[in-house]
Protein backbone atom coordinates (compact mmCIF):
# COMPACT_ATOMS: atom_id res chain seq x y z
CA UNK A 1 0.00 0.00 0.00
CA UNK A 2 1.52 3.26 -1.14
CA UNK A 3 1.23 6.66 0.55
CA UNK A 4 0.92 9.96 -1.26
CA UNK A 5 1.46 12.86 1.15
CA UNK A 6 -0.47 16.03 0.36
CA UNK A 7 1.54 19.12 1.36
CA UNK A 8 -1.03 21.83 0.59
CA UNK A 9 -1.36 22.77 4.24
CA UNK A 10 2.34 23.45 4.64
CA UNK A 11 1.79 26.11 1.98
CA UNK A 12 -1.40 27.27 3.75
CA UNK A 13 0.69 28.12 6.83
CA UNK A 14 3.33 29.90 4.75
CA UNK A 15 0.64 31.91 2.92
CA UNK A 16 -0.81 33.10 6.24
CA UNK A 17 2.16 35.53 6.27
CA UNK A 18 2.95 35.50 2.54
CA UNK A 19 6.48 34.67 3.70
CA UNK A 20 9.11 32.02 3.09
CA UNK A 21 8.38 29.51 5.82
CA UNK A 22 7.44 26.78 6.17
CA UNK A 23 8.77 25.89 2.73
CA UNK A 24 6.86 23.05 1.00
CA UNK A 25 10.16 21.98 -0.61
CA UNK A 26 11.67 21.29 2.82
CA UNK A 27 8.43 19.51 3.70
CA UNK A 28 8.70 17.35 0.57
CA UNK A 29 12.22 16.32 1.59
CA UNK A 30 11.08 15.44 5.12
CA UNK A 31 8.07 13.51 3.77
CA UNK A 32 10.38 11.50 1.52
CA UNK A 33 12.73 10.78 4.43
CA UNK A 34 9.68 9.53 6.35
CA UNK A 35 8.86 7.12 3.52
CA UNK A 36 6.33 8.95 1.32
CA UNK A 37 5.84 7.15 -1.99
CA UNK A 38 4.44 10.25 -3.68
CA UNK A 39 4.08 13.97 -3.03
CA UNK A 40 0.74 15.57 -3.84
CA UNK A 41 0.15 19.27 -4.46
CA UNK A 42 -3.14 20.92 -5.41
CA UNK A 43 -2.48 24.04 -7.47
CA UNK A 44 -5.76 25.85 -7.04
CA UNK A 45 -7.07 28.46 -9.40
CA UNK A 46 -7.09 31.02 -6.56
CA UNK A 47 -3.55 29.98 -5.44
CA UNK A 48 -4.70 30.04 -1.84
CA UNK A 49 -1.92 27.68 -0.73
CA UNK A 50 0.43 26.04 -3.25
CA UNK A 51 2.08 28.53 -5.65
CA UNK A 52 3.43 27.88 -9.13
CA UNK A 53 7.03 28.10 -7.88
CA UNK A 54 6.32 25.39 -5.26
CA UNK A 55 5.19 23.05 -7.99
CA UNK A 56 8.22 23.85 -10.16
CA UNK A 57 10.74 23.44 -7.33
CA UNK A 58 9.22 20.18 -6.07
CA UNK A 59 8.94 18.77 -9.60
CA UNK A 60 12.66 19.51 -10.04
CA UNK A 61 13.80 17.99 -6.74
CA UNK A 62 11.40 15.22 -5.71
CA UNK A 63 12.80 11.72 -5.94
CA UNK A 64 9.37 10.13 -5.61
CA UNK A 65 6.29 10.47 -7.81
CA UNK A 66 4.65 13.88 -8.02
CA UNK A 67 0.86 13.94 -8.13
CA UNK A 68 -0.65 17.23 -9.29
CA UNK A 69 -4.25 17.78 -8.22
CA UNK A 70 -5.89 20.10 -10.70
CA UNK A 71 -9.15 21.36 -12.13
CA UNK A 72 -9.93 20.41 -15.73
CA UNK A 73 -9.23 23.85 -17.16
CA UNK A 74 -7.11 25.01 -20.10
CA UNK A 75 -4.85 27.05 -17.82
CA UNK A 76 -4.13 24.07 -15.56
CA UNK A 77 -3.66 21.77 -18.51
CA UNK A 78 -0.92 24.05 -19.85
CA UNK A 79 0.83 24.07 -16.47
CA UNK A 80 0.58 20.28 -16.16
CA UNK A 81 1.97 19.68 -19.64
CA UNK A 82 4.83 22.07 -18.96
CA UNK A 83 5.63 20.62 -15.50
CA UNK A 84 5.02 16.97 -16.41
CA UNK A 85 4.23 15.46 -13.00
CA UNK A 86 4.08 11.66 -12.94
CA UNK A 87 0.36 11.80 -12.39
CA UNK A 88 -2.47 14.29 -12.39
CA UNK A 89 -5.62 13.91 -10.33
CA UNK A 90 -8.57 15.78 -11.76
CA UNK A 91 -10.73 17.32 -9.04
CA UNK A 92 -13.73 19.63 -9.06
CA UNK A 93 -12.87 23.05 -7.71
CA UNK A 94 -15.31 25.37 -5.97
CA UNK A 95 -14.12 28.83 -5.02
CA UNK A 96 -16.06 28.94 -1.76
CA UNK A 97 -15.12 25.45 -0.56
CA UNK A 98 -12.68 25.00 2.33
CA UNK A 99 -11.30 21.83 0.78
CA UNK A 100 -12.35 19.59 -2.14
CA UNK A 101 -15.91 18.77 -1.17
CA UNK A 102 -17.20 16.20 -3.62
CA UNK A 103 -16.00 14.03 -6.44
CA UNK A 104 -15.89 14.87 -10.13
CA UNK A 105 -19.10 14.52 -12.10
CA UNK A 106 -17.57 12.36 -14.82
CA UNK A 107 -21.01 11.31 -16.08
CA UNK A 108 -22.07 14.94 -16.59
CA UNK A 109 -18.74 16.32 -17.87
CA UNK A 110 -17.81 13.41 -20.14
CA UNK A 111 -17.02 15.51 -23.24
CA UNK A 112 -14.63 17.89 -21.48
CA UNK A 113 -13.00 15.21 -19.33
CA UNK A 114 -12.35 12.89 -22.29
CA UNK A 115 -10.41 15.69 -24.00
CA UNK A 116 -8.45 16.68 -20.89
CA UNK A 117 -7.57 13.06 -20.06
CA UNK A 118 -6.42 12.43 -23.65
CA UNK A 119 -4.18 15.51 -23.67
CA UNK A 120 -2.61 14.66 -20.32
CA UNK A 121 -2.00 11.06 -21.37
CA UNK A 122 -0.46 12.20 -24.67
CA UNK A 123 1.89 14.28 -22.51
CA UNK A 124 2.98 11.10 -20.70
CA UNK A 125 1.02 11.86 -17.52
CA UNK A 126 -0.99 9.14 -15.76
CA UNK A 127 -4.46 10.46 -14.98
CA UNK A 128 -6.65 9.82 -11.95
CA UNK A 129 -10.30 10.76 -11.36
CA UNK A 130 -11.27 11.88 -7.87
CA UNK A 131 -14.82 10.55 -7.63
CA UNK A 132 -17.50 9.64 -5.13
CA UNK A 133 -17.93 5.91 -4.53
CA UNK A 134 -20.66 5.52 -7.16
CA UNK A 135 -20.70 2.78 -9.79
CA UNK A 136 -21.95 5.16 -12.56
CA UNK A 137 -19.00 7.49 -11.91
CA UNK A 138 -16.54 4.57 -12.02
CA UNK A 139 -18.02 3.36 -15.32
CA UNK A 140 -17.84 6.89 -16.72
CA UNK A 141 -14.21 7.25 -15.58
CA UNK A 142 -13.29 4.12 -17.55
CA UNK A 143 -15.13 5.45 -20.59
CA UNK A 144 -13.34 8.81 -20.30
CA UNK A 145 -9.97 7.02 -20.40
CA UNK A 146 -8.73 7.53 -16.83
CA UNK A 147 -5.91 5.22 -15.70
CA UNK A 148 -7.04 5.19 -12.10
CA UNK A 149 -9.73 6.42 -9.72
CA UNK A 150 -9.31 7.94 -6.28
CA UNK A 151 -12.44 7.27 -4.25
CA UNK A 152 -13.57 10.09 -1.98
CA UNK A 153 -13.36 8.79 1.59
CA UNK A 154 -14.87 11.94 3.14
CA UNK A 155 -18.37 10.44 3.69
CA UNK A 156 -16.79 7.34 5.27
CA UNK A 157 -14.61 9.49 7.56
CA UNK A 158 -17.65 11.49 8.61
CA UNK A 159 -19.61 8.29 9.34
CA UNK A 160 -16.64 6.88 11.31
CA UNK A 161 -16.57 9.99 13.47
CA UNK A 162 -20.36 9.90 14.07
CA UNK A 163 -20.20 6.20 14.99
CA UNK A 164 -17.13 6.64 17.21
CA UNK A 165 -15.48 3.98 15.02
CA UNK A 166 -18.12 1.42 16.02
CA UNK A 167 -18.90 -0.42 12.77
CA UNK A 168 -22.52 -1.43 13.46
CA UNK A 169 -23.52 2.13 14.43
CA UNK A 170 -24.78 4.71 11.98
CA UNK A 171 -23.78 4.57 8.34
CA UNK A 172 -20.14 3.59 8.73
CA UNK A 173 -20.66 0.03 7.47
CA UNK A 174 -22.73 1.30 4.54
CA UNK A 175 -20.02 3.78 3.56
CA UNK A 176 -17.37 1.06 3.69
CA UNK A 177 -19.55 -1.18 1.53
CA UNK A 178 -19.94 1.64 -1.02
CA UNK A 179 -16.16 2.05 -1.15
CA UNK A 180 -15.66 -1.72 -1.48
CA UNK A 181 -18.21 -2.05 -4.32
CA UNK A 182 -16.82 0.93 -6.24
CA UNK A 183 -13.27 -0.34 -5.65
CA UNK A 184 -14.19 -3.76 -7.09
CA UNK A 185 -15.65 -2.08 -10.15
CA UNK A 186 -12.52 0.06 -10.62
CA UNK A 187 -10.27 -2.99 -10.75
CA UNK A 188 -12.73 -5.01 -12.89
CA UNK A 189 -12.55 -2.21 -15.45
CA UNK A 190 -8.75 -2.36 -15.48
CA UNK A 191 -8.06 0.86 -13.57
CA UNK A 192 -5.99 1.30 -10.41
CA UNK A 193 -7.81 1.88 -7.12
CA UNK A 194 -6.70 4.77 -4.90
CA UNK A 195 -8.57 6.56 -2.11
CA UNK A 196 -8.29 9.66 0.00
CA UNK A 197 -9.75 12.62 1.85
CA UNK A 198 -10.24 13.10 5.58
CA UNK A 199 -8.34 9.93 6.46
CA UNK A 200 -6.37 10.00 9.71
CA UNK A 201 -4.42 7.78 12.10
CA UNK A 202 -7.64 6.63 13.80
CA UNK A 203 -10.08 6.03 10.94
CA UNK A 204 -7.63 4.42 8.51
CA UNK A 205 -7.87 0.83 9.82
CA UNK A 206 -11.08 -0.35 8.10
CA UNK A 207 -10.02 1.34 4.83
CA UNK A 208 -6.83 -0.72 4.72
CA UNK A 209 -8.92 -3.88 4.44
CA UNK A 210 -10.49 -2.80 1.12
CA UNK A 211 -9.52 -5.28 -1.58
CA UNK A 212 -7.05 -4.12 -4.26
CA UNK A 213 -6.57 -0.65 -2.79
CA UNK A 214 -3.21 0.56 -4.07
CA UNK A 215 -2.51 4.07 -2.80
CA UNK A 216 -3.89 6.47 -0.19
CA UNK A 217 -3.59 10.24 -0.42
CA UNK A 218 -3.46 11.92 2.96
CA UNK A 219 -2.70 15.52 3.88
CA UNK A 220 -4.39 17.32 6.73
CA UNK A 221 -3.92 14.72 9.47
CA UNK A 222 -0.25 14.13 8.62
CA UNK A 223 0.58 17.83 8.51
CA UNK A 224 -1.36 18.37 11.76
CA UNK A 225 0.54 15.61 13.55
CA UNK A 226 3.79 17.01 12.17
CA UNK A 227 3.31 20.12 14.34
CA UNK A 228 3.92 17.91 17.36
CA UNK A 229 6.23 15.14 16.19
CA UNK A 230 7.80 16.51 13.00
CA UNK A 231 6.84 15.65 9.44
CA UNK A 232 9.34 12.83 8.97
CA UNK A 233 7.96 10.97 11.98
CA UNK A 234 4.32 11.77 11.13
CA UNK A 235 4.79 10.22 7.67
CA UNK A 236 6.70 7.24 9.08
CA UNK A 237 3.91 6.56 11.59
CA UNK A 238 1.31 6.59 8.81
CA UNK A 239 3.50 4.31 6.70
CA UNK A 240 3.69 1.87 9.62
CA UNK A 241 -0.12 1.76 9.74
CA UNK A 242 -0.27 1.15 5.98
CA UNK A 243 2.19 -1.71 6.34
CA UNK A 244 -0.42 -3.48 8.46
CA UNK A 245 -2.79 -3.70 5.48
CA UNK A 246 -3.66 -7.29 4.53
CA UNK A 247 -1.44 -8.42 1.64
CA UNK A 248 -2.93 -7.97 -1.81
CA UNK A 249 -4.13 -11.23 -3.48
CA UNK A 250 -1.42 -11.01 -6.17
CA UNK A 251 1.26 -10.89 -3.44
CA UNK A 252 -0.07 -14.19 -2.03
CA UNK A 253 0.00 -15.88 -5.45
CA UNK A 254 3.49 -14.54 -6.11
CA UNK A 255 4.71 -16.14 -2.88
CA UNK A 256 3.04 -19.51 -3.61
N1 LIG B 1 -7.32 13.57 -2.27
C1 LIG B 1 -7.84 14.66 -2.86
C2 LIG B 1 -8.32 14.51 -4.27
C3 LIG B 1 -7.92 15.89 -2.20
O1 LIG B 1 -8.44 16.97 -2.83
C4 LIG B 1 -7.41 16.00 -0.89
C5 LIG B 1 -7.45 17.31 -0.18
O2 LIG B 1 -6.70 18.25 -0.85
C6 LIG B 1 -6.86 14.84 -0.31
C7 LIG B 1 -6.86 13.64 -1.00
C8 LIG B 1 -6.29 14.87 1.06
O3 LIG B 1 -7.31 15.12 1.99
P1 LIG B 1 -6.94 15.41 3.50
O4 LIG B 1 -6.16 16.68 3.52
O5 LIG B 1 -8.27 15.52 4.16
O6 LIG B 1 -6.13 14.24 3.98
Amino acid sequence: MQLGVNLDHVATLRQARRGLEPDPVWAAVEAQLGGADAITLHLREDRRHVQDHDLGRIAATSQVRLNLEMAATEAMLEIALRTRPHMATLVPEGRAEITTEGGLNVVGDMGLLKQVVARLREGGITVSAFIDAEIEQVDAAAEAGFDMCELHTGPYAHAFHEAGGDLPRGTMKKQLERLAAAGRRITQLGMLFNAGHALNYVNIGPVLALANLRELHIGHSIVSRALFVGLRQAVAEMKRLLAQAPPAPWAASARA
Side-chain angles (χ1 to χ4, degrees), residues 10-127:
V10 175
T12 302
L13 190 54
R14 191 240 350 250
Q15 292 309 104
R17 290 289 172 92
R18 304 273 187 278
L20 292 174
E21 63 181 4
D23 188 341
V25 178
W26 289 30
V29 171
E30 284 297 310
Q32 288 172 73
L33 289 171
D37 301 290
I39 300 295
T40 298
L41 299 172
H42 184 176
L43 188 67
R44 280 182 168 269
E45 196 190 356
D46 62 11
R47 304 297 196 269
R48 72 173 74 152
H49 38 53
V50 173
Q51 305 297 305
D52 298 61
H53 63 78
D54 295 322
L55 178 65
R57 289 181 304 139
I58 290 178
T61 54
S62 175
Q63 299 197 18
V64 298
R65 281 178 293 118
L66 175 61
N67 171 31
L68 172 62
E69 277 183 25
M70 55 178 270
T73 64
E74 190 58 39
M76 283 308 309
L77 198 47
E78 277 171 28
I79 292 173
L81 291 171
R82 202 178 331 121
T83 312
R84 293 190 186 270
H86 299 86
M87 72 187 258
T89 301
L90 298 184
V91 296
E93 220 174 84
R95 275 189 174 254
E97 68 189 7
I98 294 175
T99 179
T100 314
E101 278 167 7
L104 277 178
N105 180 4
V106 191
V107 176
D109 294 330
M110 178 64 75
L112 169 73
L113 291 172
K114 260 189 180 167
Q115 284 180 33
V116 173
V117 171
R119 284 175 65 191
L120 288 166
R121 295 188 84 228
E122 275 162 26
I125 302 167
T126 304
V127 196

Side-chain angles (χ1 to χ4, degrees), residues 6 8-9 40 42 44 49 69 89-91 99-100 130 150 195-199 217-222:
N6 180 314
D8 293 352
H9 294 306
T40 298
H42 184 176
R44 280 182 168 269
H49 38 53
E69 277 183 25
T89 301
L90 298 184
V91 296
T99 179
T100 314
F130 180 59
E150 175 177 341
H197 213 281
L199 294 175
H217 293 146
I218 307 178
H220 190 265
S221 68
I222 291 178

